[in-house]
């Protein structure tokens, strides 16, 4: 898993999984370009964290400074990362190596992995989120 390579150490972890109709090749583009704007839970969580709730598309999040696509292996997996400064501000990520080497005292690293695996007639989509408090 890409997350294991880029963020083997973590303090918190959360995993979610769901079965989606269709093969991974058909499901991958839908997951890769998710739109969270219909989810009141996601909007509320972003609002509580002080994040922009207007552009809740994964593509929009990756274009901003909060998150960055770190690695991708279609149609099986992709990894998104975020860095937070000690002042609780989003830190820009230059590349995957910068994310992996980030070690600012009192900063945070966030890794968000999406995996897609064939499961019967559908695709098992699993997300794993990890947080490391430095």
């Amino acid at each position: 898993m890409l997350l294991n390579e880029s963020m083997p150490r973590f303090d918190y972890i959360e995993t979610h999984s769901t079965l989606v109709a269709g093969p991974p090749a058909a499901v991958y583009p839908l997951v890769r370009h998710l739109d969270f704007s219909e989810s009141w839970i996601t909007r509320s969580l972003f609002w509580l964290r002080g994040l922009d709730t207007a552009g809740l598309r994964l593509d929009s999040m990756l274009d901003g400074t909060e998150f960055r696509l770190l690695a991708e292996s279609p149609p099986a997996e992709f990894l998104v990362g975020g860095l937070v400064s000690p002042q609780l501000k989003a830190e820009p990520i230059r590349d995957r190596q910068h994310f992996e080497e980030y070690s600012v005292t009192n900063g945070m690293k966030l890794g968000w992995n999406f995996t897609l695996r064939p499961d019967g007639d559908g695709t098992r989509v699993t997300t794993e989120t990890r947080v490391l408090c430095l």
Side-chain angles (χ1 to χ4, degrees), residues 1-2 75-78 113-117 123-127:
M1 179 172 19
L2 294 169
E77 180 178 20
F78 64 95
N113 205 81
F114 292 77
T115 57
L116 292 83
R117 303 283 183 258
T123 298
R124 174 70 49 190
V125 178
T126 304
T127 67

Side-chain angles (χ1 to χ4, degrees), residues 15-43:
T15 304
H16 299 276
S17 182
T18 191
L19 186 61
V20 179
V27 175
Y28 189 87
L30 302 174
V31 174
R32 178 63 179 75
H33 304 287
L34 276 171
D35 183 352
F36 299 102
S37 63
E38 296 297 316
S39 169
W40 69 269
I41 292 173
T42 302
R43 284 193 318 273

Side-chain angles (χ1 to χ4, degrees), residues 10-65:
F10 53 90
D11 295 308
Y12 303 98
I13 185 172
E14 186 159 343
T15 304
H16 299 276
S17 182
T18 191
L19 186 61
V20 179
V27 175
Y28 189 87
L30 302 174
V31 174
R32 178 63 179 75
H33 304 287
L34 276 171
D35 183 352
F36 299 102
S37 63
E38 296 297 316
S39 169
W40 69 269
I41 292 173
T42 302
R43 284 193 318 273
S44 299
L45 289 172
F46 270 62
W47 179 79
L48 287 170
R49 293 176 180 146
L51 299 173
D52 182 16
T53 59
L56 287 178
R57 296 182 58 84
L58 187 55
D59 293 329
S60 299
M61 292 178 203
L62 298 176
D63 286 341
T65 59

Side-chain angles (χ1 to χ4, degrees), residues 1-13 70 79 96 99-102 109-111 113 128 130-132 134:
M1 179 172 19
L2 294 169
L3 189 56
N4 288 339
E5 297 168 16
S6 289
M7 200 172 167
R9 291 185 327 118
F10 53 90
D11 295 308
Y12 303 98
I13 185 172
L70 299 175
L79 173 62
R96 185 176 176 180
F99 175 83
E100 291 172 357
E101 293 174 354
Y102 186 77
K109 292 170 70 165
L110 302 103
N113 205 81
E128 184 170 314
R130 294 180 183 176
V131 176
L132 175 63
L134 301 164

Side-chain angles (χ1 to χ4, degrees), residues 55-98:
L56 287 178
R57 296 182 58 84
L58 187 55
D59 293 329
S60 299
M61 292 178 203
L62 298 176
D63 286 341
T65 59
E66 287 90 7
F67 301 101
R68 180 178 177 119
L69 181 66
L70 299 175
E72 187 170 27
S73 181
E77 180 178 20
F78 64 95
L79 173 62
V80 173
L83 299 175
V84 180
S85 75
Q87 295 79 29
L88 300 179
K89 304 280 188 205
E91 287 278 338
I93 302 172
R94 291 187 302 275
D95 53 28
R96 185 176 176 180
Q97 181 178 353
H98 175 235

